[in-house]
Amino acid sequence: MRENHEDWDIEADVVVLGTGGAALTAALSAHDHGAGRVVILERSGMVGGTTAMSGGMLWIPMNHHQQECGISDSWDDVVTYLDALSPGLLDPDTLEAFLVAGPEMIRYFADKTPVRLHAFQNFPDYQPTVPGAMPRGTRSLDNDVFPFDQLGSWAVRVNPPKTGLPTLFSMVEAMYGGVDEATLDERRRRDCRGRGQALIGSLLKGVLDRGIPIHLETRGFRLCRDGARVIGVMAEQQKGEIRVRARRGVVVATGGFEWNERLTKAFVRGPITGPVSVPECDGDGLTMAMEVGARLANMSHAWWMTSTLEAIERTRDAKPNYLLCQTERTLPGSILVNRSARRFVNEAVNYNALGPVLHNFDPNAHDFPNMPYWLVFDGRFKGKYPVFTSRPKDPAPSWAVSADSIEALAERIGLDGRVLKDTVDRFNAGVRKGHDDEFQRGDTTFDNFWGDQSLEPPFCTLGLIDQPPVYAIKMEAGVLGTAGGPKTNANGQVVDWNDKPIEGLYVAGNTMAQVTGMGYGGAGGTLGPGMTFGFIAGRHAAARDPS
């Protein structure tokens, strides 16, 4: 079918949909690999997507920062590790493309862009006991802090972190100690930010330096075709619909579909109750690709993350704000309990591995016995560690439930007080013994890595719950994003059900069927592969003959 689109409102060689890490990388890559004009369309009025709210780390095996630190890695180890995490789901061609292009992208960032990364030494892979893992090495890269005063008026257009408080520290600094006061003063003066803010800030600076236009509040909703070839995109703005021509290709990097209940119920195994991504991740890229015959893959999987609903007053049109839960469940002195008032998992395991546990199915009751579930901690914990939006010594978050005893707390949240008291007593007995016999919390380097680094293992993550008041916070089956979508080949091109490329159409980031299947290799396990395929897609699209 040939569509009549002679009158284009905007024309470009490569059109990129989205402004997250994968999208901005695709735009930079397309520009620097020869696309004469690159245009970015962003649905919202802000840039950065979920990447801006994330830790900003990239999981890229065999990168040059590893080598500079004297850390050895091997192709065979990486493949062995990923295959063990996602048996039977890996595509050899796209996996090879990731492993080759990932290090190339990191070198490109260092040589050609403002992005500045460094190795996070001793950061363990997320499943450190699996063959091929690096239990004390690093395949994860952290960002140097980036001064937002370089962005001019665009600084206020970057999505803020979930708590609304930009960090002055890189991830390494946050975990192992900050910087001196003079450096802090300079960072405050220049509005320096770390983690996902730094990653998006530096990518955005590269885009602005190249004069790549970003059209905000411009939502792509349908791909334009000439026969089977994608030649552009229809988009809607407040003033109406526009036609955007893409002479060489469209790169769709609009995020996953976790905010679209119809799509998640149709595809994802188990419920999603608290996505921590931006609400714009509701399947635009997926539905556009489906309409032109894209093959789908990995659709039942997501990048799982424990989360909680922030209980604050919002306007009726605002989306709920779910906060991710990482340190709150791994620091010593907290546990997770299910609706039976019992622990059901090693709370310190990697967040992606918790999703399938929440979706354990009881065939007798015909439901999910580990949902709903709660984070339980005591006064000592609250006085020492941050809890979501609450700093130590501050009052607990407004949505926390408190009581003077375990039994009273259980009654307030509808659990059996006797069972919850027994659960806490057994956990405390394990802490005093120095070993969690129930779930082996604290047995691995990863368990202890996210705990209190001032303590010795396993007490980095094991601590008593015995000082009133005691607290409970209701938790959700959250996701960082979905992991399924259009299947690509090694060039980032979307393929149809016959594995033939759909000319002119590329996907990257959480829009695509993830190259690592259901496996989450380590910190940056979504951003690393997702941005690599943005790099691959932009490069390949730039080299195509224009339509």
Side-chain angles (χ1 to χ4, degrees), residues 55-176:
M57 298 184 71
L58 279 66
W59 193 79
I60 303 287
M62 301 178 290
N63 65 78
H64 73 270
H65 294 291
Q66 278 181 298
Q67 298 162 10
E68 291 168 354
C69 294
I71 299 170
S72 61
D73 201 356
S74 77
W75 185 285
D76 287 345
D77 281 347
V78 178
V79 173
T80 297
Y81 176 58
L82 290 175
D83 189 56
L85 297 186
S86 198
L89 293 178
L90 302 183
D91 173 73
D93 292 338
T94 53
L95 179 60
E96 179 177 357
F98 165 54
L99 295 182
V100 170
E104 294 174 351
M105 177 184 68
I106 300 305
R107 177 64 70 180
Y108 162 76
F109 282 154
D111 294 344
K112 303 292 186 181
T113 78
V115 176
R116 292 294 175 264
L117 302 164
H118 54 263
F120 197 147
Q121 296 192 58
N122 297 319
F123 201 121
D125 281 337
Y126 276 7
Q127 299 292 153
T129 61
V130 170
M134 298 187 73
R136 295 190 181 277
T138 181
R139 292 165 174 155
S140 297
L141 300 173
D142 187 21
N143 292 267
D144 292 356
V145 296
F146 179 78
F148 267 50
D149 64 1
Q150 293 188 22
L151 297 178
S153 62
W154 281 93
V156 298
R157 289 290 189 177
V158 175
N159 275 327
K162 274 287 187 175
T163 59
L165 300 173
T167 176
L168 292 167
F169 304 109
S170 69
M171 187 71 79
V172 172
E173 292 168 342
M175 294 193 70
Y176 288 107

Side-chain angles (χ1 to χ4, degrees), residues 4 8 65 90 118 126 132 162 193 215 243 278 295 304 319 348 370 386 391 435 465 487 495 518 522 531:
N4 183 16
W8 300 97
H65 294 291
L90 302 183
H118 54 263
Y126 276 7
K162 274 287 187 175
R193 307 183 193 180
H215 297 267
R243 301 174 176 91
V278 292
R295 175 185 170 187
W304 298 102
K319 293 284 188 179
N370 292 329
R391 296 181 175 91
H435 187 262
I465 302 174
K487 178 79 173 64
V495 298
M518 62 181 289
M531 289 172 60

Side-chain angles (χ1 to χ4, degrees), residues 405-418:
S405 69
I406 294 292
E407 294 89 345
L409 180 68
E411 182 178 357
R412 292 201 61 190
I413 59 176
L415 300 185
D416 186 311
R418 180 185 57 79

Side-chain angles (χ1 to χ4, degrees), residues 162-163 259 272-277 304-312 314 319-329 335-336 351 354 358 371-377 386-390 396-401 413 471-480:
K162 274 287 187 175
T163 59
W259 283 90
I272 293 174
T273 64
V276 299
S277 58
W304 298 102
M305 166 60 76
T306 49
S307 67
T308 187
L309 174 61
E310 182 183 15
I312 58 176
R314 295 186 174 276
K319 293 284 188 179
N321 187 39
Y322 295 98
L323 303 176
L324 60 84
C325 174
Q326 174 61 24
T327 57
E328 289 86 357
R329 63 180 172 80
I335 56 173
L336 297 174
Y351 40 82
L354 272 166
L358 293 176
M371 294 180 63
Y373 69 113
W374 288 265
L375 176 76
V376 174
F377 55 97
V387 179
F388 301 111
T389 57
S390 174
S398 61
W399 63 100
V401 177
I413 59 176
Y471 302 87
I473 292 178
K474 187 176 181 292
M475 306 299 295
E476 306 291 339
V479 291
L480 300 171

Side-chain angles (χ1 to χ4, degrees), residues 326-405:
Q326 174 61 24
T327 57
E328 289 86 357
R329 63 180 172 80
T330 58
L331 288 164
S334 68
I335 56 173
L336 297 174
V337 299
N338 60 19
R339 68 184 191 201
S340 297
R342 300 192 183 279
R343 292 178 68 211
F344 58 95
V345 71
N346 169 5
E347 294 88 351
V349 298
N350 87 74
Y351 40 82
N352 187 54
L354 272 166
V357 180
L358 293 176
H359 295 154
N360 283 347
F361 191 76
D362 183 345
N364 293 321
H366 209 74
D367 63 7
F368 302 100
N370 292 329
M371 294 180 63
Y373 69 113
W374 288 265
L375 176 76
V376 174
F377 55 97
D378 69 355
R380 179 196 291 110
F381 185 96
K382 178 65 202 70
K384 188 174 183 180
Y385 303 118
V387 179
F388 301 111
T389 57
S390 174
R391 296 181 175 91
K393 310 297 184 182
D394 289 346
S398 61
W399 63 100
V401 177
S402 65
D404 290 330
S405 69

Side-chain angles (χ1 to χ4, degrees), residues 398-454:
S398 61
W399 63 100
V401 177
S402 65
D404 290 330
S405 69
I406 294 292
E407 294 89 345
L409 180 68
E411 182 178 357
R412 292 201 61 190
I413 59 176
L415 300 185
D416 186 311
R418 180 185 57 79
V419 176
L420 184 59
K421 178 66 164 56
D422 179 66
T423 295
V424 172
D425 287 346
R426 280 187 285 112
F427 177 73
N428 285 342
V431 175
R432 295 186 180 96
K433 178 182 176 182
H435 187 262
D436 174 19
D437 291 340
E438 282 189 288
F439 295 102
Q440 295 74 53
R441 177 173 169 179
D443 281 9
T444 71
T445 55
F446 181 83
D447 288 2
N448 290 286
F449 186 84
W450 284 105
D452 187 335
Q453 295 299 306
S454 70

